């Protein structure tokens, strides 16, 4: 092996226990919180499913619209976290800029919460005044539309609690507070379980509300989350020190920096969500057998990526804080180690998928053709996950934490729309390739993006200067 290649390899896998301990102390609570969210979704599906297929379909379709707001909030929160991590690093650096960094940190949180509340108001108004129209976007079945209308009317206020708790959770993680959101999620899981059981089926003297009870149960769980998270942020947190009165502070000096860094993350995540829906539509048109096989693999995909998602968010936090302190060399060193961590976690995930694929597929009573397609998809997923893990930790973590949000917005969507979706369509509808190659085509952006991330990392152009916006 040439000496240069050995040096590059050594950059990826360094003996640095403190680094890995710090990363996983952030990543594991985030991963556990994601697992709980998956559990909540499965629980809701099981409970509502007992009301019949129409109720299950109505809830699922209504939540498809609500999930658009969820995606916007994730974008807002992750965009703000880039700034929060950097300012938190500046604040800890003790370089004489602590006051400016502290003020900019509060301004960032203020702008994030204001935009979140504004979006919540828009979605709430749409849900209140035109629930039928929203449901007709997804289905023409009158019974499903009627049930969806009921679910929507009980969900109007939910947006405000969902959005503010979600974005606040993300910024709290950015200053190292990862345990509280995890504990709150565990509490919300049991609140949701109890409320759903009580109001869906009319237990403990409560009226039987059925689909309205499902919406009410979710509302109560979101209210619990918001009360705990915002209560801590406004009254207990000693890192950001953001208080309720700061919602009315002046933010004009930071708006330019906020738009430059945070808004591209929001736009990128929103367009990517549309793109991923387009991938789902392509799969949907490949036939019922392909759709069923893909559904069999979905839970395995979710479970295999929770730790990767946690490390991605940890990457953004660690990178932002290190750059805030002003240590560019350490940031580059950490960037290489995150790349190596992505390869390692991707490989572990691939082995996990290959080990569990046969038992999972055989547990379903499906036709032999569906089973064969599912096996091909599992094999394709085990290949793609290596690249997906690596570029996810880089794009959603390290490069985003460096402030490279505009280029990432372009790269994410360019590879998806120009390469992956057209290639998947050609593989499935023109060339009629086997399921393995169709899936690889639909996810080819993950492969190309990994090599692009490596080039971008080496260039050091991803490290952007971020201003406090205050002279």
């Amino acid at each position: 092996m040439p000496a240069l290649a050995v040096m590059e390899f050594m950059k990826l896998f360094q003996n640095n226990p403190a680094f890995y301990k710090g990363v996983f102390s952030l990543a594991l609570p985030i991963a556990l919180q994601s697992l709980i969210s998956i559990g909540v979704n499965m629980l809701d599906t099981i409970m509502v499913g007992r009301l019949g297929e129409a109720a299950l379909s109505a809830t699922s379709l209504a939540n498809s619209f609500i999930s658009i707001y969820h995606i916007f909030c994730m974008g807002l929160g992750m965009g703000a976290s880039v700034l929060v991590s950097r300012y938190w690093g500046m604040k800890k650096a003790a370089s004489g800029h602590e006051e400016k960094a502290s003020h900019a940190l509060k301004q960032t949180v203020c702008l994030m919460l204001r935009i979140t509340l504004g979006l919540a108001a828009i979605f709430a108004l749409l849900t209140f005044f035109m629930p039928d129209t929203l449901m007709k976007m997804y289905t023409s079945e009158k019974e499903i539309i009627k049930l969806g209308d009921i679910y929507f009317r009980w969900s109007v206020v939910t947006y405000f609690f969902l959005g503010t708790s979600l974005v606040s959770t993300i910024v709290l993680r950015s200053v190292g507070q990862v345990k509280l959101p995890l504990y709150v999620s565990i509490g919300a899981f049991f609140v949701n379980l109890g409320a759903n059981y009580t109001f869906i089926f009319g237990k403990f003297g409560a009226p039987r509300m059925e689909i309205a009870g499902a919406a009410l149960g979710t509302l109560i769980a979101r209210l619990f989350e918001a009360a705990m998270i915002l209560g801590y942020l406004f009254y207990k947190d000693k890192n950001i020190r953001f208080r309720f009165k700061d919602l009315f502070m002046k933010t004009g000096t930071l708006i330019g920096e906020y738009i430059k860094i945070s808004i591209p993350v929001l736009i990128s995540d929103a367009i990517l969500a549309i793109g991923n829906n387009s991938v789902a539509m392509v799969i949907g048109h490949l036939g019922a057998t392909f759709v069923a096989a893909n559904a069999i693999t979905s839970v395995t995909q979710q479970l295999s990526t929770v730790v990767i998602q946690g490390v991605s968010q940890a990457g953004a936090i660690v990178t932002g804080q290190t750059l805030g302190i002003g240590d560019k060399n350490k940031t580059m060193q950490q960037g290489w180690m995150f790349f190596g961590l992505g390869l390692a976690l991707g490989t572990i995930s691939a082995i996990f998928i290959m080990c569990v694929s046969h038992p999972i597929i055989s547990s379903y009573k499906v036709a032999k053709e569906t089973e064969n397609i599912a096996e091909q998809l599992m094999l394709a997923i085990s290949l793609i996950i290596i690249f997906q893990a690596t570029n996810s930790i880089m794009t959603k973590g390290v490069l985003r934490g460096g402030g490279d949000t505009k280029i990432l917005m372009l790269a994410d969507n360019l590879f998806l729309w120009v390469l992956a979706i057209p290639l998947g369509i050609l593989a499935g509808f023109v060339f009629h390739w086997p399921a393995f190659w169709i899936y690889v085509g639909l996810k080819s952006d993950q492969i190309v993006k990994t090599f692009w991330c490596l080039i971008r990392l080496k260039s050091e152009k991803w490290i952007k200067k971020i201003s406090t916006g205050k002279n």
Side-chain angles (χ1 to χ4, degrees):
M1 186 181 288
L4 185 61
V6 173
M7 289 176 63
E8 293 293 317
F9 181 81
M10 289 176 65
K11 285 182 182 179
L12 298 176
F13 303 101
Q14 299 181 35
N15 184 18
N16 192 333
F19 167 77
Y20 295 111
K21 182 180 178 181
V23 169
F24 284 104
S25 67
L26 289 170
L28 291 179
I30 296 172
L32 284 172
Q33 199 169 351
S34 297
L35 271 176
I36 293 166
S37 296
I38 293 170
V40 169
N41 292 336
M42 290 175 67
L43 184 70
D44 283 349
T45 300
I46 292 168
M47 285 190 167
V48 175
R50 293 182 64 184
L51 300 175
E53 290 186 6
L56 182 59
S57 297
T59 304
S60 175
L61 294 176
N63 277 311
S64 294
F65 178 75
I66 295 172
S67 69
I68 297 172
Y69 174 70
H70 188 278
I71 291 164
F72 275 115
C73 290
M74 282 295 295
L76 281 170
M78 293 305 296
S81 75
V82 176
L83 293 170
V84 169
S85 299
R86 187 74 67 93
Y87 296 144
W88 177 238
M90 290 180 188
K91 192 176 176 181
K92 292 197 299 180
S95 59
H97 299 290
E98 294 90 339
E99 187 179 343
K100 290 181 180 179
S102 180
H103 186 74
L105 203 164
K106 287 185 178 182
Q107 285 182 312
T108 302
V109 175
C110 180
L111 282 166
M112 176 193 71
L113 287 172
R114 285 178 184 175
I115 296 172
T116 301
L117 289 168
L119 277 173
I122 293 169
F123 274 80
L125 288 170
L126 288 172
T127 302
F128 182 77
F129 286 109
M130 46 193 298
D132 287 353
T133 304
L134 296 177
M135 286 302 299
K136 286 175 183 176
M137 290 166 50
Y138 298 97
T139 183
S140 58
E141 296 286 333
K142 289 184 179 180
E143 185 183 1
I144 295 175
I145 292 170
K146 182 181 177 182
L147 291 172
D149 177 80
I150 295 170
Y151 190 90
F152 268 142
R153 292 196 182 279
W154 280 90
S155 302
V156 170
V157 185
T158 303
Y159 295 107
F160 296 94
F161 302 126
L162 166 64
T164 51
S165 64
L166 179 59
V167 296
S168 298
T169 290
I170 293 171
V171 298
L172 284 171
R173 288 173 181 164
S174 301
V175 296
Q177 181 54 271
V178 292
K179 290 183 179 179
L180 174 73
L182 173 61
Y183 298 150
V184 171
S185 288
I186 293 171
F189 174 84
F190 289 105
V191 169
N192 195 35
L193 172 63
N196 274 1
Y197 181 72
T198 301
F199 295 108
I200 291 176
F201 305 113
K203 303 297 183 179
F204 309 115
R208 182 182 174 91
M209 299 173 65
E210 298 193 346
I211 195 168
L216 179 58
T218 300
L219 171 58
I220 293 170
R222 297 304 186 193
L223 174 59
F224 171 82
E225 282 180 328
M228 293 295 104
I229 296 294
L230 294 176
Y232 180 84
L233 178 66
F234 290 157
Y235 301 106
K236 293 288 185 182
D237 173 63
K238 294 181 180 179
N239 292 336
I240 302 173
R241 294 186 180 274
F242 188 90
R243 299 297 178 253
F244 182 79
K245 62 182 175 63
D246 293 323
L247 281 170
F248 308 97
M249 72 188 302
K250 293 181 179 179
T251 56
T253 55
L254 195 75
I255 287 176
E257 199 71 14
Y258 187 91
I259 291 172
K260 183 178 75 173
I261 299 296
S262 298
I263 299 303
V265 178
L266 169 62
I267 296 170
S268 179
D269 284 1
I271 298 175
L272 270 174
I274 296 169
N276 289 331
N277 272 324
S278 299
V279 170
M281 289 169 66
V282 172
I283 290 173
H285 285 89
L286 288 168
T289 304
F290 201 106
V291 172
N294 187 61
I296 292 171
T297 69
S298 62
V299 175
T300 308
Q301 292 182 63
Q302 287 181 321
L303 292 175
S304 64
T305 58
V306 288
V307 175
I308 294 164
Q309 291 170 15
V311 173
S312 296
Q313 291 193 38
I317 295 167
V318 170
T319 302
Q321 290 183 4
T322 306
L323 283 174
I325 293 170
D327 196 336
K328 183 178 177 180
N329 290 332
K330 187 177 180 181
T331 301
M332 282 300 302
Q333 182 186 35
Q334 290 174 340
W336 283 108
M337 286 191 286
F338 271 116
F339 196 97
L341 198 53
L343 290 173
L345 288 173
T347 302
I348 292 168
S349 296
I351 294 169
F352 167 77
I353 292 168
M354 285 189 286
C355 289
V356 302
S357 61
H358 182 70
I360 288 174
I361 294 169
S362 60
S363 68
Y364 287 83
K365 303 299 180 184
V366 293
K368 190 67 180 177
E369 184 185 0
T370 304
E371 189 176 312
N372 178 259
I373 292 174
E375 287 174 353
Q376 290 187 56
L377 291 180
M378 285 290 199
L379 183 61
I381 292 164
S382 65
L383 169 65
I384 294 297
I385 196 71
I386 299 172
F387 298 97
Q388 184 179 333
T390 307
N391 79 65
S392 179
I393 289 171
M394 298 308 296
T395 57
K396 307 301 181 190
V398 176
L399 303 181
R400 180 177 282 182
D404 203 23
T405 55
K406 286 184 181 178
I407 296 298
L408 286 171
M409 178 181 67
L410 293 172
D412 275 344
N413 291 291
L414 184 68
F415 292 135
L416 176 66
W417 291 97
V418 175
L419 176 67
I421 292 176
L423 192 56
I425 291 171
L426 287 172
F429 299 109
V430 178
F431 301 122
H432 303 290
W433 285 347
F436 175 88
W437 291 110
I438 294 172
Y439 191 88
V440 169
L442 286 168
K443 298 293 182 179
S444 56
D445 59 321
Q446 302 291 340
I447 300 172
V448 176
K449 210 159 39 170
T450 301
F451 291 100
W452 177 83
C453 285
L454 181 62
I455 295 168
R456 191 69 180 170
L457 176 65
K458 291 178 72 172
S459 74
E460 300 187 15
K461 293 179 181 178
W462 56 277
I463 299 176
K464 306 294 184 183
K465 184 178 179 181
I466 293 178
S467 162
T468 57
K470 188 178 180 182
N471 296 324

